[in-house]
Amino acid sequence: SSVMLARCSIHSLRHYWNDLRCCRHGVLRKQMVRALSISMIPGVPRKLEDVVKLELLQAEEPTQVSAIWEQYHADNHATVAGIAVQADEHRLIAERAQESPIFIFPVRREAGHFMLLSQYDVRTAMFAMAYLDDYRRNPALAPPWLSVLLFDDLVDSKQLALLRAEAVPERLTKAEAKHMLLLVRRYYGTDAYDRVWTFNHAERHFNVDAYLESCP
């Protein structure tokens, strides 16, 4: 019947569109991979054009930009993580990071945890995180183990910002890089920022034990 034929046509069309969309995104991700900078050194500032072909993202709708960016990082075998956030969240993180640029983040392992000292540079829009014990020994020579970059290139056109964590593979895992990205968003982008503010502006009131107990 015509009704059955119409249903079959719609069903086939949906399958075709899904296949086409998956194929298209796969091609875009491959094009993005070819555009990647060869070197990835945490703590070294970079622009979004150093990571991807920006024009490929500018041609997409915001939801597709988010999906492509996040899927690319999920598929990447390197110790990187990426997420797209709304412009308002990015603005809040950037403003608070400028106000309170230093903080500590725990990295939890089976035997316990160790600390990374995070410092934000407003000029490069980057958090650089060094092993706290290295920093205590010599702040000038403490190498970053991880960096979190804030890219605002698409804020005006897409109302999106792209965040990326890059970690030294000999020091941190991909899952730990992803978790550090989560912690930056948590402590600079939510009410948990009061811990960061206290650490920077009223340090004697900062309770490290309470912080570690509540930090995921």
Side-chain angles (χ1 to χ4, degrees):
S1 68
S2 59
V3 174
M4 287 294 294
L5 183 60
R7 286 177 178 171
C8 289
S9 298
I10 293 172
H11 184 71
S12 300
L13 185 60
R14 284 174 178 167
H15 274 289
Y16 171 77
W17 172 246
N18 287 335
D19 290 344
L20 182 62
R21 184 174 56 184
C22 290
C23 179
R24 182 165 174 267
H25 287 170
V27 170
L28 279 171
R29 284 197 295 272
K30 288 178 182 178
Q31 290 174 330
M32 288 173 65
V33 170
R34 288 200 297 271
L36 283 176
S37 172
I38 294 174
S39 62
M40 185 200 73
I41 306 174
V44 174
R46 62 172 73 237
K47 298 179 180 179
L48 185 56
E49 307 95 84
D50 299 330
V51 180
V52 297
K53 289 184 177 177
L54 186 54
E55 64 270 18
L56 295 180
L57 296 181
Q58 288 172 332
E60 297 295 316
E61 293 297 320
T63 54
Q64 301 308 324
V65 170
S66 298
I68 292 168
W69 179 256
E70 292 170 15
Q71 191 61 51
Y72 162 71
H73 286 87
D75 294 342
N76 195 317
H77 294 298
T79 49
V80 295
I83 194 165
V85 302
Q86 295 298 310
D88 287 345
E89 182 181 348
H90 166 266
R91 176 187 53 77
L92 193 60
I93 291 173
E95 287 178 355
R96 287 174 168 179
Q98 184 174 0
E99 179 183 51
S100 304
I102 301 174
F103 199 50
I104 51 174
F105 293 109
V107 178
R108 303 194 186 275
R109 299 266 174 93
E110 290 182 4
H113 73 272
F114 58 85
M115 290 286 202
L116 296 181
L117 178 79
S118 173
Q119 299 182 83
Y120 181 76
D121 185 348
V122 66
R123 297 168 302 169
T124 59
M126 179 180 69
F127 296 87
M129 303 188 190
Y131 181 47
L132 182 58
D133 287 355
D134 287 345
Y135 186 85
R136 283 171 173 163
R137 282 190 288 268
N138 192 330
L141 296 180
W145 283 18
L146 177 138
S147 56
V148 172
L149 302 131
L150 311 181
F151 298 120
D152 64 357
D153 306 64
L154 301 175
V155 165
D156 291 337
S157 60
K158 309 292 183 187
Q159 289 298 298
L160 280 180
L162 303 179
L163 277 56
R164 175 179 166 96
E166 302 178 345
V168 176
E170 294 80 12
R171 300 298 187 183
L172 299 168
T173 67
K174 185 178 181 71
E176 288 167 343
K178 183 177 181 180
H179 191 66
M180 288 300 106
L181 200 53
L182 179 150
L183 292 183
V184 167
R185 294 182 67 196
R186 174 185 175 90
Y187 286 100
Y188 282 93
T190 73
D191 290 343
Y193 172 68
D194 63 346
R195 302 289 177 91
V196 182
W197 190 94
T198 302
F199 186 87
N200 281 265
H201 305 286
E203 187 177 357
R204 66 189 181 91
H205 295 296
F206 182 78
N207 187 326
V208 66
D209 292 327
Y211 163 61
L212 287 174
E213 186 176 344
S214 63
C215 183

